[in-house]
Amino acid sequence: MEKVNVGVIGVGRIGQLHARNLKYQIPGIKVLAVADIFEKSARETASQLDVPIAEKDYRVLLENKDIDAVVICSSTDTHAQIISEAAQAGKHIFCEKPIALNIEKINQAITAVKKAEVKFQVGFNRRFDPSFKKAKDLVSEGTIGTPHLVKITSRDPEPPPISYIKVSGGIFLDMMIHDFDMARYLLDQEVVELMAVGSCLVDPAIGEAGDIDTAIVTLKYESGAWGTIDNSRKAVYGYDQRIEIFGSEGCIIVGNPTPTEVIVNGAEDTKTDKPLYFFTERYQEAYLAEMKEFIKCIQENKEPPVGGFDGKISVQMGYAAKESLTRGSFVKITR
């Protein structure tokens, strides 16, 4: 098996998670370097994980000929530029979503990747969740016949800081972007148009920042099937992530995993654990699986299963949802 040397760019919460998975969970990998605009964070992470190189400037990693691949976990506004520069440097690239919030910049990044002929994977980790993947496989196998309806529920336990809301691109481009990708993934077909409704029910400050915190989007697939996505920035009981796929021959349901499977039945009530609290717990297996797949694609010289087109279309769906919210009507997806 080919050994792969990796550099991690951006070592916030997600960057550290990926660095640890690469370091301890994936054989044949060496995390050779980390970089972060906050140099102290880079040095602390390098010390904790025994990584030999820690830098403030990510370009030092791109110039290092021993590094085969980079994992980009920096702020969204830096993704497209780093992708292009990494491709030009001949590095294979894993990048957290979104590629960018600007379609032109996304196109430039994708063009750079294609020109350099490097591997490029976008971090839509939910595709790699074992339960969601099984549901998708069952649909592909025809277990429920022809899919008619898809329901996706995605609710966070707490809203992010207002400072983040202001630069995130809004609920459709920040939060629901994962659900747009899942909607396409589960049926393996495109959405042709959608309609969004929503309001601000969780925190008035989110509305003052120009966003909403509660939304429902209706999707029409190319086959004529329909889907719905509902998002909320605050579910008081935990991280709520469920799907349902209804077809001509049956229905597939994926519920929320809980810390334990213990159920206590009493005279007055029945008690179970609440859902796992947040995404790092809920998708721990998925984060590891997506990184294993990225490394495998490098080692076996094959294309990653989720790439530039998937990253671009999810952003286009997000902009269509924003337009629909304003217009109050269905909006066709531009591809």
Side-chain angles (χ1 to χ4, degrees):
M1 180 179 293
E2 178 189 352
K3 182 178 180 181
V4 179
N5 290 329
V6 180
V8 179
I9 300 172
V11 288
R13 178 166 50 187
I14 292 297
Q16 289 187 30
L17 183 152
H18 286 313
R20 286 193 173 89
N21 281 342
L22 286 161
K23 172 77 176 182
Y24 298 117
Q25 301 289 331
I26 306 178
I29 300 306
K30 182 175 179 60
V31 181
L32 197 60
V34 296
D36 197 285
I37 191 171
F38 298 105
E39 191 172 3
K40 182 180 177 182
S41 297
R43 297 199 179 282
E44 287 177 351
T45 301
S47 176
Q48 292 167 6
L49 300 181
D50 193 26
V51 173
I53 301 171
E55 297 288 346
K56 180 178 182 178
D57 188 347
Y58 69 86
R59 293 179 180 87
V60 177
L61 275 60
L62 303 185
E63 293 166 359
N64 189 323
K65 297 188 182 303
D66 292 329
I67 293 177
D68 305 301
V70 291
V71 174
I72 303 172
C73 306
S74 52
S75 59
T76 294
D77 62 330
T78 67
H79 287 180
Q81 180 176 338
I82 299 176
I83 290 168
S84 295
E85 292 179 8
Q88 291 165 11
K91 311 300 184 188
H92 301 296
I93 304 159
F94 176 98
C95 184
E96 281 297 336
K97 66 82 190 169
I99 298 173
L101 296 178
N102 178 284
I103 299 299
E104 184 179 348
K105 289 183 178 180
I106 292 174
N107 287 335
Q108 290 170 354
I110 292 173
T111 298
V113 166
K114 290 180 178 178
K115 184 177 179 180
E117 297 183 339
V118 294
K119 307 304 178 193
F120 178 46
Q121 183 170 322
V122 178
F124 283 124
N125 61 290
R126 297 182 191 180
R127 291 183 177 221
F128 298 86
D129 174 77
S131 296
F132 290 168
K133 184 179 183 303
K134 182 174 180 179
K136 187 262 195 309
D137 290 344
L138 289 170
V139 172
S140 297
E141 292 163 8
T143 303
I144 59 167
T146 302
H148 292 173
L149 296 170
V150 177
K151 293 182 181 181
I152 300 174
T153 291
S154 181
R155 303 166 186 163
D156 285 353
E158 291 286 346
I162 298 301
S163 58
Y164 177 81
I165 293 283
K166 291 178 178 179
V167 298
S168 68
I171 194 169
F172 298 123
L173 291 167
D174 164 51
M175 184 177 177
M176 197 179 286
I177 190 170
H178 278 289
D179 305 306
F180 289 141
D181 183 67
M182 281 300 298
R184 298 175 55 246
Y185 168 74
L186 290 170
L187 295 199
D188 195 23
Q189 60 175 281
E190 299 300 335
V191 173
V192 294
E193 59 181 333
L194 58 75
M195 181 171 179
V197 294
S199 52
C200 199
L201 301 175
V202 173
D203 185 351
I206 293 176
E208 292 167 8
D211 197 15
I212 59 174
D213 53 38
T214 307
I216 296 175
V217 171
T218 301
L219 313 167
K220 183 179 180 180
Y221 287 92
E222 55 192 2
S223 67
W226 291 89
T228 59
I229 299 170
D230 75 80
N231 277 183
S232 172
R233 288 286 194 184
K234 186 174 183 179
V236 296
Y237 49 86
Y239 194 45
D240 192 357
Q241 300 281 295
R242 291 171 284 132
I243 62 171
E244 177 182 316
I245 311 161
F246 172 81
S248 59
E249 303 298 328
C251 183
I252 297 168
I253 298 173
V254 179
N256 287 311
T258 55
T260 74
E261 301 301 316
V262 175
I263 300 174
V264 180
N265 293 310
E268 301 298 327
D269 57 18
T270 295
K271 295 181 179 180
T272 64
D273 289 344
K274 292 181 180 179
L276 295 168
Y277 187 72
F278 212 24
F279 66 92
T280 50
E281 299 169 86
R282 168 64 179 85
Y283 291 116
Q284 187 174 15
E285 290 179 90
Y287 281 118
L288 177 57
E290 72 172 350
M291 195 55 62
K292 283 183 174 178
E293 182 64 22
F294 173 58
I295 298 301
K296 183 179 179 182
C297 287
I298 295 171
Q299 293 171 329
E300 298 183 2
N301 190 28
K302 64 179 187 178
E303 284 303 306
V306 50
F309 176 79
D310 303 294
K312 178 181 176 180
I313 193 66
S314 61
V315 172
Q316 290 172 313
M317 291 174 74
Y319 278 118
K322 293 181 77 167
E323 181 182 346
S324 174
L325 184 68
T326 302
R327 286 173 43 182
S329 63
F330 273 91
V331 172
K332 294 187 182 300
I333 309 301
T334 302
R335 286 197 290 275

